[in-house]
Amino acid sequence: MPRSKTALLIVAAGRGTRLGSEIPKQYLKLAGKPVLRHALDRFLAHQAVGPVRIVIDPDHRTLYEEAVSGLGLPPPVSGGAERGQSVLNGLRALAEEAPDHVLVHDAARPFVTPQVIDRVLDALEYAPGAIPALPVADTLKRARGLGGEITGTEDRSTLFRAQTPQGFHFKTLLEAHEKTEKLATDDAALLEELGLTVQLVEGADALFKITTEEDLIRARQMTEGALEPRVGTGFDVHRLGPGEKITLCGLEIAHDRTLIGHSDADVGLHAITDALLGAIADGDIGSHFPPSDPQWKGAASDQFLVHAAELVRQRGGRITHVDLTLICERPKIGPHRPAMRTRIAEILDISESRVSVKATTSEKLGFTGRGEGIAAQAAATVLLPADDL
């Protein structure tokens, strides 16, 4: 399904008072990343997701901006006093995009899976609405409150726990919200009241909503315990030619020669970029930034590294360490090493303590020994969610 045809609306305007936290639950951090960002990164990594709007409480704008930093999203939509009004505001903001379908998701459900997204979208091929759900496992009793007398037992065979993302034909959902006289707490219920079909698809245990302290503990255990380390390596070489400076690790260094390449030929950043792409099994620098493409002629290599780091984050991962070795006779790397570490850490948005830069010569042997070029090799360690999370 084309990206432009499916919009994403995330409802993040709640205050989460039941959790008892001063910070709304959608902005609490799991493994160093806000709950909202976990959900966003997973949706943005799905090829079917196109336009995005996020509905927030205007009082939380600073928290929101921190959570979506670097994603280049449109401005957030202001929410209403009730969820139904927030959804309506978001749908109106999406109307100019004219999507065919819309996915409506609770920001407090961070662990959406691509399989659930696929099942919801597949169901929209033959139904105006679809929601993920799970069967109710526990026996259900009617009673006059806790501690009260049981008055009956429900047949659980036809009962299901609804989850999000819920998917709809966009115009159908917008019209349903515009026409209703009451603000619904569940979007599917609006279509049900109009007599329209809403299809149930299989949900996922990981799609629970963070509501209580126990939920938050579970979410933190999942992010901290289900991250698995991946290691990637990168190697790059650029020849030296006439010039007055070289670019290494994002720094311009005065030199009697320069590195030759289609971009700025920053051999250090190129090696780290390839190492990160290798760690997430997503090709190499040439497949993302082809040297045959004129737009990358003379381009600064920090944008290549930023792109690779963002791909890691979109997969719900985080960079824990990069180790770079520069191989050359000249220039001497030692005097520039601290600044190189600082610059790489800035580009990757990680602590400088997680960046290592080393240098060696090849004892006058080979092309580096003859001063014909500079080589670099890198290793990158990232933590990624387990495939079944």
Side-chain angles (χ1 to χ4, degrees):
M1 186 175 295
R3 292 182 69 92
S4 60
K5 298 302 183 182
T6 300
L8 171 64
L9 177 61
I10 294 185
V11 185
R15 293 185 174 273
T17 54
R18 287 178 61 185
L19 190 62
S21 170
E22 293 184 3
I23 299 176
K25 57 192 176 185
Q26 60 269 34
Y27 301 114
L28 292 174
K29 291 188 176 180
L30 306 174
K33 188 165 65 173
V35 168
L36 171 61
R37 184 59 176 262
H38 278 276
L40 259 175
D41 285 346
R42 287 163 179 263
F43 276 109
L44 294 177
H46 195 285
Q47 63 180 0
V49 174
V52 176
R53 293 294 187 277
I54 303 179
V55 185
I56 71 167
D57 184 328
D59 291 343
H60 304 153
R61 184 64 180 262
T62 300
L63 290 169
Y64 167 79
E65 294 294 349
E66 178 186 354
V68 303
S69 175
L71 294 182
L73 297 178
V77 179
S78 294
E82 303 292 338
R83 184 185 186 279
Q85 186 62 56
S86 294
V87 173
L88 178 56
N89 292 353
L91 293 172
R92 287 171 173 168
L94 276 168
E96 62 186 30
E97 303 283 354
D100 288 342
H101 303 125
V102 61
L103 296 171
V104 182
H105 187 66
D106 296 329
R109 299 182 191 266
F111 304 124
V112 63
T113 70
Q115 293 84 2
V116 169
I117 296 173
D118 288 339
R119 288 195 284 267
V120 171
L121 293 179
D122 287 345
L124 292 182
E125 296 297 324
Y126 53 87
I131 70 172
L134 291 176
V136 173
D138 297 325
T139 298
L140 296 178
K141 297 289 186 179
R142 289 194 306 273
R144 297 185 178 92
L146 286 176
E149 177 185 350
I150 293 176
T151 60
T153 301
E154 296 288 344
D155 176 10
R156 69 186 183 198
S157 65
T158 59
L159 297 177
F160 295 83
R161 294 186 287 121
Q163 300 178 317
T164 68
Q166 299 186 356
F168 306 92
H169 293 189
F170 180 79
K171 290 183 179 179
T172 300
L173 184 62
L174 177 57
E175 290 173 1
H177 271 279
E178 294 279 15
K179 292 178 180 178
T180 187
E181 295 181 359
K182 61 179 181 179
L183 296 174
T185 57
D186 179 77
D187 301 296
L190 290 180
L191 271 67
E192 295 165 27
E193 290 181 5
L194 295 175
L196 298 174
T197 299
V198 179
Q199 185 75 31
L200 279 189
V201 302
E202 182 183 357
D205 286 333
L207 261 175
F208 67 93
K209 185 176 183 180
I210 298 176
T211 304
T212 65
E213 180 67 25
E214 289 74 17
D215 296 330
L216 182 60
I217 291 172
R218 179 185 175 189
R220 285 178 170 159
Q221 288 174 338
M222 289 175 66
T223 52
E224 293 167 6
L227 290 176
E228 56 186 33
R230 306 282 183 88
V231 177
T233 62
F235 181 81
D236 197 43
V237 172
H238 281 286
R239 62 187 176 90
L240 288 162
E244 298 178 346
K245 62 183 179 181
I246 61 175
T247 301
L248 275 178
C249 300
L251 303 179
E252 287 191 352
I253 300 172
H255 194 48
D256 57 4
R257 315 206 55 198
T258 193
L259 287 166
I260 306 299
H262 188 64
S263 62
D264 63 6
D266 190 328
V267 66
L269 295 191
H270 290 184
I272 299 174
T273 299
D274 263 350
L276 288 174
L277 294 174
I280 60 174
D282 196 359
D284 58 24
I285 193 170
S287 61
H288 289 264
F289 305 96
S292 58
D293 191 335
Q295 70 172 309
W296 307 121
K297 184 175 178 59
S301 296
D302 57 358
Q303 62 188 307
F304 305 159
L305 190 52
V306 166
H307 174 74
E310 185 55 37
L311 289 178
V312 173
R313 295 186 180 101
Q314 286 180 10
R315 285 159 173 76
R318 55 192 175 100
I319 302 165
T320 60
H321 189 255
V322 294
D323 182 21
L324 174 69
T325 300
L326 298 169
I327 307 167
C328 60
E329 299 292 332
R330 297 175 55 243
K332 297 300 182 185
I333 301 302
H336 306 287
R337 183 182 289 114
M340 288 178 172
R341 293 181 64 206
T342 299
R343 180 63 185 134
I344 292 169
E346 290 174 348
I347 297 170
L348 294 175
D349 193 22
I350 61 176
S351 168
E352 191 173 324
S353 65
R354 298 183 181 275
V355 177
S356 170
V357 175
K358 308 190 301 293
T360 187
T361 70
S362 55
E363 299 292 337
K364 303 293 184 180
L365 299 174
F367 70 91
T368 57
R370 294 189 297 269
E372 297 171 0
I374 296 177
Q377 61 184 24
T381 303
V382 303
L383 292 177
L384 289 181
D387 291 337
D388 60 351
L389 180 60

